[in-house]
Amino acid sequence: QVQLAESGGGLAQAGGSLRLSCVVSGRPSNNYAMGWFRQAPGKEREFVAAINKRGSITYYRDSVRGRFTISKDNDQNTVYLQMNSLKAEDTAVYYCAAEFIYTDLLKYDASEYSYWGQGTQVTVSS
């Protein structure tokens, strides 16, 4: 059974930075495509960024492209989300997700992920 544990959330000022971490336990992360999603109050969960199992291919939603960077360290079984130039609209609970995959593709649809973390709150003050 795969377990995901996010950390690194908190309060940041607009224009500031935060780095989220998601530790994978139970199985080696190099067999899993992974992604970050977020959910703001009163809104649906939305895709933020995805990375393939080898960490060689990434994909972002338009509103974070150029500001956020997803990366994966399979030796540490950890995926990261570096968030720079934060905006108030980035405020949300951020969730890490993982899905076992045979190919080297990535996934950006929440319905394709089987494993989820508990979430970490990110609050950006303007």
Side-chain angles (χ1 to χ4, degrees):
Q1 185 73 6
V2 173
Q3 295 183 326
L4 307 176
E6 303 101 332
S7 62
L11 177 64
Q13 291 189 332
S17 299
L18 285 172
R19 188 174 84 153
L20 306 184
S21 300
C22 174
V23 177
V24 180
S25 60
R27 294 288 189 273
S29 65
N30 60 2
N31 290 323
Y32 290 82
M34 299 190 68
W36 287 96
F37 294 77
R38 66 187 181 187
Q39 187 167 18
K43 295 187 177 181
E44 294 186 352
R45 187 173 299 189
E46 64 181 18
F47 166 77
V48 176
I51 193 165
N52 67 340
K53 65 179 181 179
R54 292 193 296 126
S56 58
I57 305 172
T58 59
Y59 184 70
Y60 302 89
R61 71 178 297 109
D62 288 346
S63 62
V64 308
R65 187 173 292 116
R67 300 189 297 122
F68 291 10
T69 302
I70 187 171
S71 60
K72 196 167 184 270
D73 185 340
N74 285 326
D75 290 335
Q76 299 295 323
N77 284 327
T78 302
V79 65
Y80 303 96
L81 185 67
Q82 177 67 45
M83 305 186 295
N84 299 328
S85 302
L86 283 164
K87 303 177 180 180
E89 52 263 42
D90 295 320
T91 295
V93 177
Y94 283 71
Y95 297 90
C96 174
E99 179 64 16
F100 182 87
I101 190 167
Y102 290 104
T103 69
D104 216 12
L105 300 178
L106 49 74
K107 296 180 179 292
Y108 52 86
D109 187 336
S111 66
E112 295 185 285
Y113 284 95
S114 299
Y115 303 100
W116 292 84
Q118 80 288 352
T120 185
Q121 176 70 47
V122 170
T123 302
V124 183
S125 62
S126 58

